[in-house]
Every structure is written in C-alpha cells, then in structure tokens.
Coordinates of all heavy atoms in Angstrom, one line a residue:
M1 N 0.8 -1.2 0.0 CA 0.0 0.0 0.0 C 0.9 1.3 0.0 O 0.5 2.2 -0.7 CB -0.9 -0.1 1.2 CG -1.8 1.1 1.3 SD -3.3 0.6 0.5 CE -4.4 1.8 1.1
K2 N 2.0 1.2 0.8 CA 2.9 2.4 0.8 C 3.5 2.6 -0.5 O 3.8 3.7 -0.9 CB 3.9 2.2 1.9 CG 3.4 2.5 3.3 CD 4.5 2.5 4.3 CE 4.0 2.9 5.6 NZ 5.0 3.1 6.6
V3 N 3.8 1.5 -1.2 CA 4.5 1.7 -2.5 C 3.5 2.3 -3.5 O 3.9 3.2 -4.3 CB 4.9 0.3 -3.1 CG1 5.4 0.4 -4.5 CG2 5.9 -0.3 -2.1
H4 N 2.3 1.9 -3.5 CA 1.3 2.5 -4.4 C 1.1 4.0 -4.1 O 0.9 4.8 -4.9 CB -0.1 1.8 -4.3 CG 0.0 0.4 -4.8 ND1 0.3 0.1 -6.2 CD2 -0.2 -0.8 -4.3 CE1 0.3 -1.2 -6.4 NE2 0.0 -1.8 -5.2
R5 N 1.0 4.2 -2.7 CA 0.8 5.6 -2.3 C 2.0 6.5 -2.7 O 1.8 7.6 -3.2 CB 0.7 5.7 -0.8 CG 0.2 7.0 -0.3 CD -0.2 6.9 1.1 NE -0.9 8.1 1.5 CZ -1.1 8.5 2.7 NH1 -0.7 7.7 3.7 NH2 -1.7 9.6 3.0
G6 N 3.2 6.0 -2.6 CA 4.4 6.7 -3.0 C 4.5 6.9 -4.5 O 4.8 8.0 -5.0
L7 N 4.1 5.9 -5.2 CA 4.0 6.0 -6.7 C 3.0 7.0 -7.1 O 3.2 7.8 -8.0 CB 3.7 4.6 -7.3 CG 3.7 4.5 -8.8 CD1 5.1 4.9 -9.4 CD2 3.3 3.1 -9.2
L8 N 1.9 7.0 -6.4 CA 0.8 8.0 -6.8 C 1.3 9.4 -6.5 O 1.1 10.3 -7.3 CB -0.5 7.6 -5.9 CG -1.6 8.6 -6.2 CD1 -2.1 8.5 -7.6 CD2 -2.8 8.3 -5.2
L9 N 2.0 9.6 -5.4 CA 2.5 10.9 -5.1 C 3.6 11.3 -6.1 O 3.6 12.5 -6.5 CB 3.1 10.9 -3.7 CG 2.2 11.1 -2.5 CD1 2.9 11.0 -1.2 CD2 1.4 12.4 -2.6
A10 N 4.4 10.4 -6.5 CA 5.4 10.7 -7.5 C 4.8 11.1 -8.9 O 5.1 12.1 -9.5 CB 6.4 9.5 -7.7
V11 N 3.7 10.4 -9.2 CA 3.0 10.7 -10.5 C 2.3 12.0 -10.4 O 2.4 12.8 -11.3 CB 2.0 9.5 -10.8 CG1 1.1 9.9 -12.0 CG2 2.8 8.3 -11.2
L12 N 1.7 12.3 -9.3 CA 1.0 13.6 -9.1 C 2.0 14.7 -9.1 O 1.7 15.8 -9.7 CB 0.2 13.6 -7.8 CG -1.1 12.7 -7.8 CD1 -1.7 12.7 -6.4 CD2 -2.1 13.2 -8.9
W13 N 3.1 14.5 -8.4 CA 4.2 15.6 -8.4 C 4.7 15.8 -9.8 O 4.9 17.0 -10.2 CB 5.3 15.1 -7.5 CG 6.4 16.1 -7.4 CD1 6.4 17.2 -6.6 CD2 7.6 16.2 -8.1 NE1 7.6 18.0 -6.8 CE2 8.3 17.3 -7.7 CE3 8.2 15.4 -9.1 CZ2 9.5 17.7 -8.2 CZ3 9.4 15.7 -9.6 CH2 10.1 16.9 -9.2
L14 N 4.9 14.7 -10.6 CA 5.3 14.9 -12.0 C 4.3 15.6 -12.8 O 4.7 16.5 -13.6 CB 5.6 13.5 -12.6 CG 6.2 13.5 -14.0 CD1 7.5 14.2 -14.0 CD2 6.3 12.1 -14.5
C15 N 3.0 15.3 -12.6 CA 2.0 16.0 -13.3 C 1.9 17.5 -13.0 O 1.7 18.3 -13.8 CB 0.6 15.4 -13.0 SG 0.4 13.7 -13.7
V16 N 2.1 17.8 -11.7 CA 2.2 19.2 -11.3 C 3.3 20.0 -12.0 O 3.2 21.1 -12.4 CB 2.2 19.3 -9.8 CG1 2.6 20.8 -9.3 CG2 0.9 18.9 -9.1
M17 N 4.5 19.3 -12.0 CA 5.7 19.9 -12.6 C 5.5 20.1 -14.1 O 5.8 21.2 -14.7 CB 6.9 19.1 -12.4 CG 7.4 19.1 -11.0 SD 8.1 20.7 -10.7 CE 7.4 21.2 -9.2
V18 N 4.9 19.1 -14.8 CA 4.7 19.2 -16.2 C 3.7 20.4 -16.5 O 3.8 21.2 -17.4 CB 4.2 17.9 -16.8 CG1 3.6 18.1 -18.2 CG2 5.3 16.9 -16.8
S19 N 2.6 20.4 -15.6 CA 1.6 21.5 -15.8 C 2.3 22.9 -15.6 O 2.0 23.8 -16.3 CB 0.5 21.3 -14.8 OG -0.4 22.3 -14.8
A20 N 3.1 23.0 -14.6 CA 3.8 24.3 -14.3 C 4.7 24.7 -15.5 O 4.7 25.8 -15.9 CB 4.6 24.2 -13.0
L21 N 5.4 23.7 -16.0 CA 6.3 24.0 -17.2 C 5.4 24.4 -18.4 O 5.8 25.3 -19.2 CB 7.2 22.9 -17.5 CG 8.3 22.6 -16.5 CD1 9.0 21.3 -16.8 CD2 9.2 23.8 -16.5
A22 N 4.3 23.8 -18.6 CA 3.4 24.1 -19.7 C 2.8 25.5 -19.5 O 2.7 26.3 -20.5 CB 2.2 23.1 -19.7
V23 N 2.5 25.9 -18.3 CA 2.0 27.3 -18.0 C 3.1 28.3 -18.4 O 2.9 29.3 -19.0 CB 1.6 27.5 -16.6 CG1 1.3 28.9 -16.2 CG2 0.3 26.7 -16.4
V24 N 4.4 28.0 -17.9 CA 5.5 28.9 -18.3 C 5.7 29.0 -19.7 O 5.9 30.1 -20.3 CB 6.8 28.4 -17.5 CG1 8.0 29.2 -18.0 CG2 6.6 28.6 -16.0
H25 N 5.7 27.9 -20.4 CA 5.9 27.9 -21.9 C 4.7 28.7 -22.6 O 5.0 29.5 -23.5 CB 5.9 26.5 -22.4 CG 6.0 26.4 -23.9 ND1 7.1 26.7 -24.6 CD2 5.0 26.0 -24.8 CE1 6.8 26.6 -25.9 NE2 5.6 26.1 -26.1
T26 N 3.5 28.4 -22.2 CA 2.4 29.1 -22.8 C 2.4 30.6 -22.6 O 2.1 31.4 -23.5 CB 1.1 28.5 -22.3 OG1 1.1 27.1 -22.5 CG2 -0.1 29.1 -22.9
T27 N 2.8 31.0 -21.4 CA 2.9 32.4 -21.1 C 4.0 33.1 -21.9 O 3.8 34.2 -22.5 CB 3.2 32.6 -19.6 OG1 2.2 32.0 -18.8 CG2 3.3 34.1 -19.2
H28 N 5.1 32.4 -22.0 CA 6.2 33.0 -22.8 C 5.8 33.1 -24.3 O 6.0 34.1 -24.9 CB 7.4 32.1 -22.7 CG 8.5 32.5 -23.6 ND1 9.3 33.7 -23.4 CD2 9.0 31.9 -24.7 CE1 10.2 33.8 -24.4 NE2 10.0 32.7 -25.2
R29 N 5.2 32.1 -24.8 CA 4.7 32.1 -26.2 C 3.7 33.1 -26.4 O 3.7 33.8 -27.5 CB 4.2 30.7 -26.6 CG 3.8 30.5 -28.0 CD 5.0 30.4 -28.9 NE 4.6 30.2 -30.2 CZ 5.1 30.8 -31.3 NH1 6.2 31.6 -31.1 NH2 4.7 30.6 -32.5
S30 N 2.8 33.3 -25.5 CA 1.8 34.4 -25.6 C 2.4 35.8 -25.6 O 2.0 36.6 -26.5 CB 0.8 34.3 -24.4 OG -0.1 35.3 -24.4
R31 N 3.4 36.0 -24.8 CA 4.1 37.3 -24.8 C 4.8 37.5 -26.2 O 4.8 38.6 -26.7 CB 5.1 37.4 -23.7 CG 4.3 37.5 -22.3 CD 5.3 37.7 -21.2 NE 4.5 37.8 -19.9 CZ 5.0 37.6 -18.8 NH1 6.3 37.3 -18.6 NH2 4.2 37.8 -17.7
V32 N 5.5 36.5 -26.7 CA 6.2 36.6 -27.9 C 5.2 36.9 -29.1 O 5.4 37.8 -29.9 CB 7.0 35.3 -28.3 CG1 7.5 35.3 -29.7 CG2 8.1 35.1 -27.3
L33 N 4.1 36.2 -29.1 CA 3.1 36.4 -30.1 C 2.4 37.8 -30.0 O 2.1 38.5 -31.0 CB 2.0 35.3 -30.1 CG 2.5 34.0 -30.5 CD1 1.4 32.9 -30.4 CD2 3.0 34.0 -32.0
T34 N 2.2 38.3 -28.8 CA 1.7 39.6 -28.5 C 2.6 40.7 -29.1 O 2.2 41.6 -29.7 CB 1.4 39.8 -27.1 OG1 0.5 38.9 -26.6 CG2 0.8 41.2 -26.8
G35 N 3.9 40.5 -28.9 CA 4.9 41.4 -29.4 C 4.9 41.4 -30.9 O 5.0 42.5 -31.6
E36 N 4.8 40.2 -31.5 CA 4.7 40.2 -33.0 C 3.5 40.8 -33.5 O 3.5 41.5 -34.6 CB 4.8 38.7 -33.5 CG 6.1 38.1 -33.3 CD 6.1 36.6 -33.6 OE1 5.2 36.1 -34.2 OE2 7.2 35.9 -33.4
L37 N 2.4 40.6 -32.8 CA 1.1 41.3 -33.2 C 1.2 42.8 -33.2 O 0.8 43.5 -34.1 CB 0.0 40.8 -32.3 CG -1.4 41.4 -32.5 CD1 -1.9 41.1 -33.9 CD2 -2.4 41.0 -31.5
V38 N 1.8 43.3 -32.1 CA 2.0 44.8 -32.0 C 2.8 45.3 -33.1 O 2.5 46.4 -33.7 CB 2.5 45.1 -30.6 CG1 3.0 46.6 -30.5 CG2 1.5 44.8 -29.5
A39 N 3.9 44.6 -33.4 CA 4.8 45.0 -34.5 C 4.0 45.0 -35.8 O 4.2 45.9 -36.7 CB 6.0 44.2 -34.5
A40 N 3.3 44.0 -36.1 CA 2.5 43.8 -37.3 C 1.4 44.9 -37.4 O 1.2 45.5 -38.5 CB 1.9 42.5 -37.4
Q41 N 0.8 45.3 -36.3 CA -0.2 46.3 -36.3 C 0.5 47.7 -36.6 O -0.1 48.5 -37.3 CB -1.0 46.4 -35.0 CG -1.9 45.2 -34.8 CD -2.5 45.2 -33.4 OE1 -2.0 45.7 -32.5 NE2 -3.7 44.5 -33.3
K42 N 1.6 47.9 -36.1 CA 2.4 49.1 -36.3 C 2.7 49.2 -37.8 O 2.6 50.3 -38.4 CB 3.6 49.2 -35.4 CG 4.4 50.5 -35.6 CD 5.6 50.5 -34.7 CE 6.4 51.8 -34.9 NZ 7.6 51.8 -34.2
A43 N 3.2 48.2 -38.3 CA 3.6 48.1 -39.8 C 2.3 48.4 -40.6 O 2.4 49.1 -41.6 CB 4.2 46.8 -40.1
R44 N 1.2 47.8 -40.2 CA -0.1 48.0 -41.0 C -0.5 49.5 -40.9 O -0.8 50.1 -42.0 CB -1.2 47.1 -40.3 CG -2.5 47.3 -41.0 CD -3.7 47.0 -40.1 NE -3.7 47.8 -39.0 CZ -4.3 47.5 -37.8 NH1 -4.9 46.4 -37.7 NH2 -4.2 48.3 -36.8
D45 N -0.4 50.1 -39.8 CA -0.7 51.5 -39.6 C 0.2 52.4 -40.5 O -0.3 53.3 -41.1 CB -0.7 51.9 -38.2 CG -1.8 51.3 -37.3 OD1 -2.8 50.7 -37.9 OD2 -1.6 51.2 -36.1
E46 N 1.5 52.1 -40.5 CA 2.4 52.8 -41.3 C 2.1 52.7 -42.8 O 2.1 53.7 -43.6 CB 3.8 52.4 -41.0 CG 4.3 52.9 -39.7 CD 5.7 52.3 -39.3 OE1 6.3 51.5 -40.1 OE2 6.2 52.6 -38.2
L47 N 1.7 51.5 -43.2 CA 1.4 51.2 -44.6 C 0.1 52.0 -45.0 O 0.0 52.5 -46.1 CB 1.3 49.7 -44.9 CG 2.6 49.0 -44.9 CD1 2.4 47.5 -45.0 CD2 3.5 49.5 -46.1
R48 N -0.9 52.0 -44.1 CA -2.1 52.7 -44.4 C -1.9 54.2 -44.5 O -2.4 54.8 -45.4 CB -3.1 52.5 -43.2 CG -3.8 51.2 -43.3 CD -4.9 51.1 -42.3 NE -5.6 49.8 -42.4 CZ -6.4 49.3 -41.5 NH1 -6.7 50.0 -40.4 NH2 -7.0 48.2 -41.6
F49 N -1.0 54.7 -43.6 CA -0.7 56.1 -43.7 C 0.0 56.4 -45.1 O -0.3 57.4 -45.7 CB 0.2 56.5 -42.6 CG 0.7 57.9 -42.6 CD1 -0.1 59.0 -42.3 CD2 2.0 58.2 -43.0 CE1 0.3 60.3 -42.4 CE2 2.5 59.5 -43.1 CZ 1.6 60.6 -42.8
E50 N 1.0 55.6 -45.5 CA 1.7 55.7 -46.7 C 0.7 55.6 -47.9 O 0.8 56.4 -48.9 CB 2.8 54.7 -46.8 CG 3.5 54.7 -48.1 CD 4.5 55.9 -48.2 OE1 4.7 56.6 -47.2 OE2 5.1 56.1 -49.3
Q51 N -0.2 54.7 -47.8 CA -1.2 54.6 -48.9 C -2.1 55.8 -49.0 O -2.3 56.3 -50.2 CB -2.1 53.4 -48.6 CG -3.2 53.1 -49.7 CD -4.2 52.1 -49.4 OE1 -4.4 51.7 -48.2 NE2 -4.8 51.5 -50.4
E52 N -2.5 56.4 -47.9 CA -3.3 57.6 -48.0 C -2.5 58.7 -48.5 O -3.0 59.5 -49.4 CB -3.8 57.9 -46.6 CG -4.9 57.0 -46.0 CD -5.2 57.2 -44.6 OE1 -4.8 58.3 -44.1 OE2 -5.9 56.4 -44.0
R53 N -1.3 58.8 -48.2 CA -0.4 59.9 -48.7 C -0.2 59.8 -50.2 O -0.3 60.7 -50.9 CB 1.0 59.9 -48.0 CG 1.8 61.1 -48.3 CD 3.2 60.9 -47.8 NE 4.0 59.8 -48.3 CZ 4.5 59.9 -49.6 NH1 4.4 60.9 -50.3 NH2 5.2 58.8 -50.0
L54 N 0.0 58.5 -50.6 CA 0.2 58.3 -52.1 C -1.1 58.5 -52.9 O -1.0 59.1 -54.0 CB 0.7 56.9 -52.3 CG 2.1 56.6 -51.8 CD1 2.5 55.1 -52.0 CD2 3.1 57.4 -52.6
L55 N -2.2 58.2 -52.3 CA -3.5 58.5 -53.0 C -3.7 60.0 -53.1 O -4.2 60.5 -54.2 CB -4.7 57.9 -52.2 CG -4.8 56.4 -52.4 CD1 -5.9 55.8 -51.5 CD2 -5.1 56.0 -53.8
L56 N -3.4 60.8 -52.1 CA -3.5 62.2 -52.2 C -2.5 62.8 -53.2 O -2.9 63.6 -54.0 CB -3.2 62.9 -50.8 CG -4.3 62.7 -49.8 CD1 -3.8 63.2 -48.4 CD2 -5.5 63.5 -50.2
E57 N -1.3 62.2 -53.2 CA -0.3 62.7 -54.2 C -0.7 62.3 -55.6 O -0.6 63.1 -56.6 CB 1.0 62.1 -53.9 CG 2.2 62.6 -54.7 CD 3.5 62.1 -54.3 OE1 3.7 61.7 -53.1 OE2 4.4 62.0 -55.1
K58 N -1.3 61.1 -55.8 CA -1.8 60.7 -57.1 C -2.9 61.7 -57.6 O -2.9 62.1 -58.8 CB -2.3 59.3 -57.0 CG -2.9 58.8 -58.3 CD -3.5 57.4 -58.1 CE -4.3 57.0 -59.4 NZ -5.1 55.8 -59.1
G59 N -3.8 62.0 -56.7 CA -4.8 62.9 -57.1 C -4.3 64.3 -57.5 O -4.8 64.9 -58.4
A60 N -3.3 64.8 -56.8 CA -2.7 66.1 -57.1 C -2.0 66.0 -58.5 O -2.1 66.9 -59.3 CB -1.7 66.5 -56.0
W61 N -1.3 64.9 -58.7 CA -0.5 64.8 -60.0 C -1.4 64.5 -61.2 O -1.1 64.8 -62.3 CB 0.5 63.7 -59.9 CG 1.8 64.1 -59.2 CD1 2.0 63.9 -57.9 CD2 2.8 64.9 -59.6 NE1 3.2 64.5 -57.5 CE2 3.7 65.1 -58.6 CE3 3.1 65.5 -60.9 CZ2 4.9 65.8 -58.7 CZ3 4.3 66.2 -61.0 CH2 5.1 66.4 -60.0
S62 N -2.6 63.9 -60.9 CA -3.4 63.5 -62.1 C -4.6 64.5 -62.3 O -5.4 64.3 -63.2 CB -4.0 62.2 -61.9 OG -4.9 62.2 -60.7
A63 N -4.6 65.6 -61.6 CA -5.6 66.7 -61.8 C -5.4 67.3 -63.1 O -4.3 67.5 -63.6 CB -5.5 67.7 -60.7
Y64 N -6.5 67.6 -63.8 CA -6.5 68.1 -65.1 C -5.6 69.4 -65.3 O -4.9 69.5 -66.2 CB -7.9 68.4 -65.6 CG -8.0 68.9 -67.1 CD1 -7.8 68.0 -68.1 CD2 -8.1 70.2 -67.4 CE1 -7.8 68.4 -69.4 CE2 -8.2 70.7 -68.7 CZ -8.0 69.8 -69.7 OH -8.0 70.2 -71.0
G65 N -5.8 70.3 -64.3 CA -5.0 71.5 -64.3 C -3.5 71.2 -64.3 O -2.7 71.8 -65.0
R66 N -3.1 70.2 -63.5 CA -1.6 69.9 -63.4 C -1.2 69.3 -64.7 O -0.1 69.6 -65.2 CB -1.5 68.9 -62.3 CG -0.1 68.3 -62.2 CD 0.9 69.2 -61.6 NE 2.2 68.6 -61.6 CZ 3.4 69.2 -61.7 NH1 3.4 70.5 -61.9 NH2 4.5 68.5 -61.7
I67 N -2.0 68.4 -65.4 CA -1.6 67.8 -66.6 C -1.5 68.9 -67.7 O -0.5 68.9 -68.5 CB -2.6 66.7 -67.1 CG1 -2.6 65.6 -66.1 CG2 -2.4 66.3 -68.5 CD1 -3.7 64.6 -66.2
E68 N -2.4 69.8 -67.7 CA -2.3 70.9 -68.7 C -1.1 71.8 -68.5 O -0.4 72.2 -69.4 CB -3.6 71.7 -68.6 CG -3.7 72.8 -69.7 CD -5.0 73.6 -69.6 OE1 -5.9 73.3 -68.8 OE2 -5.2 74.5 -70.5
Q69 N -0.8 72.1 -67.2 CA 0.4 72.9 -66.9 C 1.7 72.2 -67.4 O 2.5 72.8 -68.0 CB 0.4 73.1 -65.4 CG 1.7 73.9 -65.0 CD 1.8 73.9 -63.4 OE1 1.0 73.3 -62.7 NE2 2.8 74.7 -63.0
V70 N 1.8 70.9 -67.1 CA 3.0 70.2 -67.6 C 3.1 70.2 -69.1 O 4.1 70.4 -69.7 CB 3.0 68.8 -67.0 CG1 4.1 67.9 -67.6 CG2 3.2 68.8 -65.5
A71 N 1.9 70.0 -69.7 CA 1.9 69.9 -71.2 C 2.3 71.3 -71.8 O 3.1 71.3 -72.8 CB 0.5 69.6 -71.7
R72 N 1.9 72.3 -71.2 CA 2.3 73.7 -71.7 C 3.7 74.0 -71.4 O 4.5 74.5 -72.3 CB 1.4 74.8 -71.1 CG 0.0 74.7 -71.7 CD -0.8 75.9 -71.0 NE -2.2 75.7 -71.2 CZ -2.9 76.3 -72.3 NH1 -2.2 77.1 -73.0 NH2 -4.1 76.1 -72.5
E73 N 4.1 73.8 -70.2 CA 5.5 74.3 -69.7 C 6.6 73.4 -70.1 O 7.6 73.8 -70.7 CB 5.5 74.5 -68.2 CG 4.6 75.6 -67.7 CD 4.5 75.7 -66.2 OE1 5.2 74.9 -65.5 OE2 3.8 76.6 -65.7
K74 N 6.5 72.1 -69.9 CA 7.6 71.2 -70.2 C 7.6 70.6 -71.6 O 8.6 70.3 -72.1 CB 7.6 70.0 -69.2 CG 7.8 70.5 -67.7 CD 8.0 69.4 -66.8 CE 8.3 70.0 -65.4 NZ 8.6 68.9 -64.4
L75 N 6.4 70.4 -72.1 CA 6.3 69.8 -73.5 C 6.0 70.8 -74.6 O 5.9 70.4 -75.7 CB 5.2 68.7 -73.5 CG 5.4 67.6 -72.4 CD1 4.2 66.6 -72.4 CD2 6.7 66.8 -72.7
N76 N 5.9 72.0 -74.2 CA 5.6 73.1 -75.2 C 4.4 72.8 -76.1 O 4.4 73.0 -77.3 CB 6.8 73.4 -76.0 CG 8.0 73.9 -75.2 OD1 7.8 74.7 -74.3 ND2 9.2 73.5 -75.5
M77 N 3.4 72.2 -75.4 CA 2.1 71.9 -76.2 C 1.2 73.1 -76.1 O 1.2 73.8 -75.1 CB 1.5 70.6 -75.6 CG 2.4 69.4 -75.8 SD 1.7 67.9 -75.1 CE 0.5 67.5 -76.3
H78 N 0.2 73.1 -77.0 CA -0.8 74.1 -77.0 C -2.0 73.6 -77.7 O -2.0 72.6 -78.4 CB -0.3 75.4 -77.6 CG 0.0 75.3 -79.1 ND1 1.1 74.7 -79.6 CD2 -0.8 75.5 -80.2 CE1 1.1 74.7 -80.9 NE2 -0.1 75.2 -81.3
V79 N -3.1 74.3 -77.5 CA -4.4 73.9 -78.1 C -4.2 74.3 -79.6 O -3.9 75.4 -79.9 CB -5.6 74.6 -77.5 CG1 -6.9 74.2 -78.2 CG2 -5.7 74.3 -76.0
P80 N -4.5 73.3 -80.5 CA -4.3 73.7 -82.0 C -5.3 74.7 -82.4 O -6.5 74.6 -82.1 CB -4.5 72.3 -82.6 CG -5.2 71.5 -81.7 CD -4.9 72.0 -80.4
G81 N -4.8 75.6 -83.3 CA -5.7 76.6 -83.9 C -6.5 75.9 -85.0 O -6.2 74.8 -85.4
S82 N -7.4 76.7 -85.6 CA -8.2 76.1 -86.7 C -7.4 75.8 -87.9 O -7.7 74.8 -88.6 CB -9.4 77.1 -87.0 OG -8.8 78.3 -87.4
N83 N -6.3 76.5 -88.1 CA -5.5 76.2 -89.3 C -4.6 75.0 -89.1 O -4.0 74.5 -90.0 CB -4.6 77.5 -89.7 CG -3.7 77.9 -88.5 OD1 -4.0 77.5 -87.4 ND2 -2.7 78.7 -88.8
E84 N -4.4 74.6 -87.8 CA -3.6 73.4 -87.5 C -4.4 72.1 -87.4 O -3.8 71.0 -87.4 CB -2.9 73.6 -86.2 CG -1.9 74.8 -86.1 CD -1.3 75.0 -84.8 OE1 -2.1 75.0 -83.8 OE2 -0.1 75.1 -84.7
R85 N -5.7 72.2 -87.5 CA -6.5 71.0 -87.4 C -6.6 70.3 -88.8 O -6.7 71.0 -89.8 CB -7.9 71.3 -86.9 CG -7.9 71.9 -85.5 CD -9.2 72.2 -85.0 NE -9.2 72.9 -83.8 CZ -10.1 73.7 -83.3 NH1 -11.2 73.8 -83.9 NH2 -9.9 74.3 -82.2
V86 N -6.5 69.0 -88.8 CA -6.7 68.2 -90.0 C -7.8 67.2 -89.8 O -7.8 66.4 -88.8 CB -5.3 67.5 -90.3 CG1 -5.5 66.6 -91.5 CG2 -4.2 68.4 -90.4
L87 N -8.7 67.2 -90.6 CA -9.8 66.2 -90.5 C -9.5 65.0 -91.3 O -9.1 65.1 -92.5 CB -11.1 66.8 -91.1 CG -11.6 68.0 -90.3 CD1 -12.9 68.6 -90.9 CD2 -11.9 67.6 -88.8
V88 N -9.6 63.8 -90.8 CA -9.4 62.6 -91.5 C -10.7 61.9 -91.8 O -11.5 61.7 -90.9 CB -8.5 61.6 -90.5 CG1 -8.3 60.3 -91.2 CG2 -7.3 62.3 -90.1
P89 N -10.9 61.7 -93.1 CA -12.2 61.1 -93.5 C -12.4 59.7 -93.0 O -11.4 59.0 -92.9 CB -12.2 61.2 -95.0 CG -10.7 61.3 -95.4 CD -10.0 61.9 -94.2
E90 N -13.6 59.3 -92.7 CA -13.9 57.9 -92.3 C -13.8 57.0 -93.6 O -14.1 57.4 -94.7 CB -15.3 57.8 -91.7 CG -15.4 58.4 -90.4 CD -16.7 58.2 -89.7 OE1 -17.3 57.0 -89.9 OE2 -17.3 59.1 -89.1
Q91 N -13.5 55.8 -93.4 CA -13.4 54.9 -94.5 C -14.4 53.8 -94.3 O -14.8 53.3 -93.4 CB -12.0 54.3 -94.6 CG -11.0 55.3 -95.0 CD -9.6 54.6 -95.1 OE1 -9.4 53.4 -94.9 NE2 -8.6 55.4 -95.6

C-alpha cells in the first residue's frame, strides 16, 4: 500500500511539474506572439498612412490642371488653332 501511495505521489508531483512548465511555456509564447502582433499592427498602420499619402499625391498629380500645366510648360504643347487641325475622313 505504501508503494502505491508513494508511486501515486510521484506521478501527481510529476503532473504538477509538467503542468507548471506548460504554463510557463504558454505564457512565454503568448508574450512573444503579442509582441509580434503589436509590430505587425504598427507596420499595418504605417502602410495605411503611406497609402493615404500616395493617394493624395496621385490625385494632385493627375488633376486636369496639373496635366495641362505640364503639357504647356515642359512639353511646349498648346491647343491647336483652326489652321492646324486636320480632318481625317472615315473609311
């Protein structure tokens, strides 16, 4: 009976130790994953900010007035006069 009782205590003690180590491991893993999550959320927020900035910049660069200004100043383009227009007949 004492052998069974001692064996039972040893098994229970082993179970308690395994359980404690599992808690320590799980807590550590949870902290590591929480850190990774925070870093990923920060990167997401930075990418969203960059996307919004780029969308605003795209809108500014693609505005009709901006395109016309670049065409006039850098490409020396102008609206053709009536004498510069050529009509191409349909076939």
Side-chain angles (χ1 to χ4, degrees):
M1 182 89 163
K2 283 189 175 187
V3 174
H4 292 299
R5 190 171 192 195
L7 183 62
L8 180 63
L9 280 175
V11 169
L12 288 175
W13 183 83
L14 184 63
C15 289
V16 168
M17 287 291 130
V18 169
S19 175
L21 289 174
V23 168
V24 169
H25 174 73
T26 303
T27 303
H28 174 69
R29 185 75 179 135
S30 174
R31 287 180 180 165
V32 168
L33 291 174
T34 300
E36 290 177 8
L37 176 64
V38 168
Q41 288 173 337
K42 182 179 177 185
R44 179 205 58 204
D45 293 342
E46 289 173 359
L47 288 172
R48 280 187 181 167
F49 176 75
E50 179 73 8
Q51 180 187 24
E52 290 174 9
R53 188 187 65 75
L54 289 173
L55 286 173
L56 286 172
E57 188 174 334
K58 176 185 171 189
W61 282 99
S62 64
Y64 182 76
R66 172 74 179 148
I67 293 171
E68 186 176 0
Q69 177 188 5
V70 169
R72 288 179 191 267
E73 293 175 1
K74 293 188 178 183
L75 302 175
N76 296 322
M77 296 176 79
H78 64 280
V79 178
S82 58
N83 60 342
E84 296 175 312
R85 295 182 190 157
V86 177
L87 295 178
V88 178
E90 288 187 41
Q91 294 184 355

